[in-house]
Amino acid sequence: PVASDPMMFAAYLAGQLKKVHFGFSVTSVPLHSPVRFAERVNILDQLTEGRLLVGVGSGTTPEEMIGFGVNYKEASAIAEANLAIAEKLWAKQI
């Protein structure tokens, strides 16, 4: 489907829609490497010229987590840890 990777789809649209704001209601952070997550958000922020809003969460269902090889019982802890790393990267901290 077109939106199977919403960040990729937004990157495609960003070059075509110069006045549109882009947003993701919830990005399941445990499903992303924290470094790649920070990189992808940074790139989209640049491509959209600051017209990006990203909601974050730990996931929706056990099936979603299991399908991606994440222990759903640890999803909240993984989300917190991944966001802490991403925030350090955005703050340019080691």
Side-chain angles (χ1 to χ4, degrees), residues 17-38:
L17 306 172
K18 294 296 184 181
K19 295 184 179 183
V20 172
H21 284 75
F22 294 84
F24 305 103
S25 57
V26 177
T27 300
S28 296
V29 178
L31 304 181
H32 298 270
S33 154
V35 175
R36 294 294 296 149
F37 175 72

Side-chain angles (χ1 to χ4, degrees), residues 9-71:
F9 190 51
Y12 167 75
L13 292 175
Q16 300 178 35
L17 306 172
K18 294 296 184 181
K19 295 184 179 183
V20 172
H21 284 75
F22 294 84
F24 305 103
S25 57
V26 177
T27 300
S28 296
V29 178
L31 304 181
H32 298 270
S33 154
V35 175
R36 294 294 296 149
F37 175 72
E39 287 176 333
R40 294 178 87 194
V41 170
N42 287 355
I43 290 169
L44 275 176
D45 186 51
Q46 291 175 16
L47 291 173
T48 62
E49 299 175 349
R51 295 173 284 119
L52 178 68
L53 179 64
V54 179
V56 295
S58 59
T60 57
T61 65
E63 294 80 14
E64 177 186 35
M65 297 294 121
I66 292 167
F68 286 95
V70 175
N71 182 340

Side-chain angles (χ1 to χ4, degrees), residues 1-7 9:
V2 172
S4 65
D5 187 342
M7 289 192 187
F9 190 51

